[in-house]
Amino acid sequence: MPDIQAFRGLRYDLGRVGSLSDVIAPPYDVIDQELQDELYGKNDANVVRLILNRDEDSDNDDNNRYTRAARFLTQWQREGVLQVEPDAAVYVYHQVFEADGQTFTRRGFMCRVKLERFGEGKIYPHEETHSGPKADRLKLITACKANLSQIFGLYPDPENEAQDLLETSIAGATPLEATDHLGVLHRIWPVTDVKVISELEGVMGPKPAYIADGHHRYETACNYRDQHANEHGGELPPDHPANYVLMMCVGMSDPGMIVLPTHRLFRGAPAMSSEELIAKLGDCFTCRIAGEGPDLAEMIWDQIAAEDDQGNIGFFTQADQRWVMASVTDAGMAKMAEVATDHSTDWQGLGVSLLHRLAMDTLLGLSDLPSPKYVRAIEEVVQGLSDGDDTGRDATGQVASGGQFNLAAVVMPATLEAIRLIREHNEPMPATSTCYYTTLLSGLVINPLE
């Protein structure tokens, strides 16, 4: 991994704000209007006022949501609402959550990581980025001169050596705790022991990093560094904070590091029957009709998950309310190799790749559909197919809507090993191919860039 560094973070003074739960927020791109209003009402110092300040009718170049965020950040520091850590620290971060009836604890640590452009070092991207979100985040980071949220980075560590080193150092220490709007418990511990931090740097040094979430913010941090350097004669001192970005580092072998599926509800697809679907899939998939009705989604997913095969996809055709179980064939993989010559065999074998490139784009001829609604919980598949709830976010995080869902697909998530291999090929993953539940909180620690 590129250089990691302890830093003196900005953290809320609980004596002034009360509960940490009242001032934290999820990432900006999952906050809708209703949640934004809820977070605004929790506490006057909730971090949502920094990461996603409200637009106002009177906004102009000098007074807008970015400048307001900067003023809040300055004001809260002046008033002592936010205080600087006395000593440089890395921050151990645990998240305790439930998924599929089990309780998990995902462990990691937050630190500064030295920036490098994708393809120039040991930091690998997960998926493609879009210009709109990067322009938005650059305005915010330029105004606030701080990383307000952390990048989510993964690193290989089969023995969990790095995290276990930190776990030993915090044994018996009392964490700071916050509970988010989904009921997930978040805990952090600052670690300031110079010896522990030095050992951590040594363990992490040879490892690559894979960006799991926060691509737009990572590239924005690179752009800000370059912009800041140009404003200061073209080069920054090596230890300048703008050369680094705040990152949450999680070992890929951590017991709480799970990848959940992201199923698809397709907007704008023409109505088709299960027989028509099967005919179009042809000899590229072995198909069978598995039953009728949206409520069968759970059984379909249970079967796909139990077989644990990336080549299995469950399709729902709204026209006749039927589920089709489709399994890719050798002929299908040969066709996939033909239509995806721009990608490696690792990428071609992903369930989401087979769904989009082979089935949707090539065999069904539906490459120009609006962005689908992405859902994690199988209950959301049932709800979307039953009542036509078509509101969701597209691949850029923007709210998208459309007509009835005439087609749906239940598909396996990418494995962590596949993600590692594909990233090391310098390939982007297919859009929304993974769900790294749960999200990282903003407001636990802020990284100043001045």
Side-chain angles (χ1 to χ4, degrees):
M1 180 174 285
D3 295 343
I4 68 169
Q5 188 180 81
F7 67 105
R8 297 176 62 200
L10 286 172
R11 291 199 291 117
Y12 281 104
D13 180 352
L14 299 188
R16 293 180 179 270
V17 300
S19 171
L20 188 58
S21 299
D22 290 339
V23 291
I24 49 82
Y28 79 100
D29 53 358
V30 302
I31 299 175
D32 59 17
Q33 181 67 58
E34 181 179 358
L35 181 54
Q36 186 185 41
D37 291 343
E38 178 185 333
L39 294 169
Y40 258 78
K42 278 194 168 187
N43 191 296
D44 288 343
N46 188 284
V47 74
V48 72
R49 288 175 170 81
L50 305 184
I51 64 172
L52 192 65
N53 198 279
R54 285 172 172 160
D55 288 314
E56 297 181 2
D57 292 340
S58 60
D59 281 355
N60 54 46
D61 290 344
D62 299 318
N63 182 34
N64 50 61
R65 61 194 182 104
Y66 308 108
T67 60
R68 281 191 294 276
R71 288 197 294 271
F72 276 123
L73 183 59
T74 300
Q75 175 186 335
W76 294 348
Q77 292 178 76
R78 185 172 60 245
E79 295 174 348
V81 172
L82 288 171
Q83 296 191 343
V84 179
E85 198 77 55
D87 299 300
V90 297
Y91 298 84
V92 175
Y93 181 7
H94 289 187
Q95 298 170 285
V96 184
F97 60 96
E98 291 190 4
D100 297 329
Q102 300 182 62
T103 299
F104 295 89
T105 298
R106 185 169 67 195
R107 311 172 305 164
F109 63 94
M110 292 180 285
C111 64
R112 282 176 174 166
V113 173
K114 193 164 188 178
L115 290 163
E116 56 186 35
R117 290 287 182 181
F118 294 145
E120 296 181 358
K122 292 187 291 185
I123 295 182
Y124 298 90
H126 171 53
E127 56 190 33
E128 296 176 350
T129 57
H130 305 271
S131 59
K134 286 187 286 189
D136 165 60
R137 293 297 97 178
L138 183 59
K139 291 178 182 178
L140 183 62
I141 195 174
T142 300
C144 293
K145 299 178 174 59
N147 296 144
L148 305 173
S149 305
Q150 60 279 80
I151 309 301
F152 186 2
L154 303 176
Y155 64 93
D157 191 1
E159 303 301 323
N160 291 312
E161 183 180 4
Q163 191 66 37
D164 287 349
L165 172 66
L166 292 171
E167 296 300 316
T168 299
S169 73
I170 64 169
T174 301
L176 297 167
E177 295 188 345
T179 301
D180 68 20
H181 67 296
L182 298 176
V184 176
L185 177 62
H186 303 256
R187 295 173 170 148
I188 66 166
W189 295 259
V191 175
T192 58
D193 187 304
V194 175
K195 182 175 182 294
V196 171
I197 293 171
S198 178
E199 291 178 8
L200 179 67
E201 291 172 347
V203 171
M204 294 296 292
K207 301 181 184 300
Y210 311 104
I211 304 298
D213 190 39
H215 295 77
H216 293 101
R217 282 175 281 130
Y218 183 87
E219 290 195 32
T220 296
C222 291
N223 294 338
Y224 175 76
R225 174 200 60 190
D226 296 346
Q227 171 183 288
H228 201 55
N230 289 334
E231 293 170 355
H232 292 78
E235 188 173 353
L236 298 175
D239 60 348
H240 194 287
N243 287 320
Y244 293 80
V245 69
L246 177 60
M247 185 178 291
M248 166 69 160
C249 302
V250 179
M252 298 175 79
S253 299
D254 186 81
M257 187 56 238
I258 61 173
V259 182
L260 299 179
T262 305
H263 308 304
R264 272 71 167 154
L265 301 172
F266 290 100
R267 304 178 175 90
M272 73 177 79
S273 67
S274 53
E275 287 83 359
E276 290 172 319
L277 173 71
I278 291 171
K280 290 184 177 183
L281 294 180
D283 66 352
C284 290
F285 287 87
T286 299
C287 299
R288 65 177 177 85
I289 295 174
E292 296 184 1
D295 290 342
L296 206 63
E298 184 173 357
M299 186 200 77
I300 297 296
W301 168 241
D302 286 346
Q303 182 175 334
I304 290 174
E307 294 182 3
D308 193 22
D309 186 335
Q310 291 284 321
N312 291 340
I313 302 171
F315 288 98
F316 181 83
T317 50
Q318 190 72 255
D320 57 6
Q321 297 276 296
R322 284 181 168 179
W323 285 96
V324 174
M325 289 292 289
S327 299
V328 70
T329 62
D330 290 343
M333 290 307 302
K335 185 67 174 178
M336 183 62 166
E338 177 186 325
V339 300
T341 56
D342 53 334
H343 287 287
S344 67
T345 55
D346 294 312
W347 188 95
Q348 292 171 12
L350 290 178
V352 287
S353 300
L354 292 167
L355 169 63
H356 286 280
R357 182 66 66 90
L358 179 60
M360 297 297 295
D361 295 356
T362 303
L363 303 178
L364 300 181
L366 299 176
S367 59
D368 295 328
L369 293 183
S371 181
K373 180 176 182 179
Y374 301 106
V375 297
R376 183 188 69 82
I378 204 68
E379 293 81 7
E380 294 179 272
V381 176
V382 176
Q383 179 184 357
L385 294 176
S386 299
D387 60 20
D389 176 14
D390 63 352
T391 301
R393 291 183 180 270
D394 64 18
T396 70
Q398 303 302 307
V399 173
S401 62
Q404 182 182 21
F405 300 123
N406 284 332
L407 186 66
V410 174
V411 62
M412 286 286 292
T415 65
L416 285 169
E417 176 62 13
I419 292 166
R420 182 186 69 81
L421 292 171
I422 290 167
R423 290 180 184 176
E424 290 183 357
H425 299 321
N426 282 321
E427 292 180 280
M429 295 285 288
T432 317
S433 52
T434 50
C435 174
Y436 299 105
Y437 190 79
T438 179
T439 58
L440 305 176
L441 286 185
S442 299
L444 296 176
V445 63
I446 291 170
N447 176 35
L449 296 176
E450 289 288 301

